[in-house]
Amino acid sequence: LEFRRVLFRSGTKVWLDSIDPDFLRVNIDRGATGATSNPIIVADILKTGRYDADLARLAAQGLDDEVIAWQLTDMLVRQAQEQFYPIFQTANCNDGYVSFELDPLIEDPALNLPHDERVRRYIALGRKWSAGHANRMIKVPATPAGIASLETLAADGIVLNVTLIFTPRQYREAREAVWRELSVGPDRCRGARCTERDGCYAELARERAGGCQVILVNHALYLADLALRAARGGEPVILPD
């Protein structure tokens, strides 16, 4: 108990390496705020026999083993998401997620898929399994193809969990792939002319600042605004007139 208190006080989020509904129920009461899944975790749950009726129902529909496996994975992750959803709401979307791992067989050497095909599959599956889910996090491996898919997935607004990071190089490549889509420098930002302006946090913040009587800024922000105005013929970029 004291160990958990130390973790919570330090800001650490305790996530579970399981989506077993009984295990989640007990540990959410103990302070767990999220969970992860993978095919092995799902297989261990199915081995308990608690989902034999679901297996039989799907098999009776004539579905093959692969389709059945992914439908059951989706079902179990959905159930876990429901358990963590109150946490997700309370944390203002900053916690309460359940991760869903994309097909690891994309990297199977026996399939020997070309790099571009692996990237295409990660993107297609990321879009498929994230659609319609508020607190589902898509787990992508830090392989060359997985990293190559991150920029597109991030652009789609998909919440990502990059797994199998074992080296600083993998971490940097994954971080930079996501950050390329999340950050926009003056060379790419179109300001008020951007078609995505209505949903842009920077534009919304500047509009709100325009209604203020006093704005507190540091030297870096003020000088960045002056430099961008000079480059754009005096057009307001960061701070309002």
Side-chain angles (χ1 to χ4, degrees), residues 70-122:
W70 286 110
Q71 287 206 15
L72 288 172
T73 298
D74 181 49
M75 181 188 74
L76 287 166
V77 173
R78 282 174 184 267
Q79 291 175 354
Q81 288 173 233
E82 290 172 3
Q83 289 182 266
F84 283 106
Y85 192 69
I87 296 172
F88 174 78
Q89 290 181 303
T90 302
N92 195 26
C93 310
N94 194 39
D95 206 349
Y97 286 92
V98 181
S99 69
F100 184 108
E101 182 170 345
L102 301 183
D103 189 355
L105 293 180
I106 291 174
E107 301 291 344
D108 187 353
L111 292 178
N112 196 27
L113 294 173
H115 173 80
D116 289 348
E117 175 60 16
R118 297 184 191 198
V119 175
R120 187 195 69 78
R121 292 195 184 190
Y122 280 127

Side-chain angles (χ1 to χ4, degrees), residues 128-145:
K128 173 183 178 179
W129 294 118
S130 65
H133 295 281
N135 62 326
R136 176 175 292 189
M137 186 175 282
I138 297 300
K139 187 188 292 188
V140 184
T143 59

Side-chain angles (χ1 to χ4, degrees), residues 23-77:
F23 184 75
L24 297 186
R25 201 170 296 109
V26 171
N27 285 282
I28 288 173
D29 289 342
R30 293 174 175 172
T33 59
T36 187
S37 70
N38 60 44
I40 294 176
I41 289 173
V42 172
D44 286 342
I45 295 172
L46 297 180
K47 287 176 185 176
T48 65
R50 284 178 288 163
Y51 294 91
D52 285 356
D54 295 292
L55 278 166
R57 174 178 53 81
L58 294 171
Q61 297 174 19
L63 303 177
D64 63 32
D65 291 348
E66 182 177 357
V67 173
I68 291 173
W70 286 110
Q71 287 206 15
L72 288 172
T73 298
D74 181 49
M75 181 188 74
L76 287 166
V77 173

Side-chain angles (χ1 to χ4, degrees), residues 58-233:
L58 294 171
Q61 297 174 19
L63 303 177
D64 63 32
D65 291 348
E66 182 177 357
V67 173
I68 291 173
W70 286 110
Q71 287 206 15
L72 288 172
T73 298
D74 181 49
M75 181 188 74
L76 287 166
V77 173
R78 282 174 184 267
Q79 291 175 354
Q81 288 173 233
E82 290 172 3
Q83 289 182 266
F84 283 106
Y85 192 69
I87 296 172
F88 174 78
Q89 290 181 303
T90 302
N92 195 26
C93 310
N94 194 39
D95 206 349
Y97 286 92
V98 181
S99 69
F100 184 108
E101 182 170 345
L102 301 183
D103 189 355
L105 293 180
I106 291 174
E107 301 291 344
D108 187 353
L111 292 178
N112 196 27
L113 294 173
H115 173 80
D116 289 348
E117 175 60 16
R118 297 184 191 198
V119 175
R120 187 195 69 78
R121 292 195 184 190
Y122 280 127
I123 293 172
L125 290 174
R127 288 169 172 167
K128 173 183 178 179
W129 294 118
S130 65
H133 295 281
N135 62 326
R136 176 175 292 189
M137 186 175 282
I138 297 300
K139 187 188 292 188
V140 184
T143 59
I147 289 173
S149 73
L150 295 178
E151 186 171 352
T152 298
L153 292 172
D156 286 350
I158 295 171
V159 181
L160 299 169
N161 170 10
V162 184
T163 188
L164 300 179
I165 293 181
F166 301 115
T167 68
R169 176 189 58 79
Q170 287 175 297
Y171 164 72
R172 287 192 297 270
E173 290 179 356
R175 178 196 64 194
E176 289 164 6
V178 174
W179 189 242
R180 275 195 301 272
E181 189 54 43
L182 297 180
S183 65
V184 179
D187 57 323
R188 293 178 60 195
C189 179
R190 302 188 64 215
R193 297 183 300 276
C194 180
T195 58
E196 303 296 325
R197 182 176 181 273
D198 289 344
C200 175
Y201 290 106
E203 286 294 316
L204 291 172
R206 193 171 69 81
E207 286 181 5
R208 293 191 184 103
C212 297
Q213 298 298 317
V214 177
I215 302 175
L216 299 178
V217 299
N218 57 27
H219 284 87
L221 187 63
Y222 178 65
L223 294 176
D225 182 66
L226 290 179
L228 290 172
R229 284 176 185 243
R232 297 191 178 186

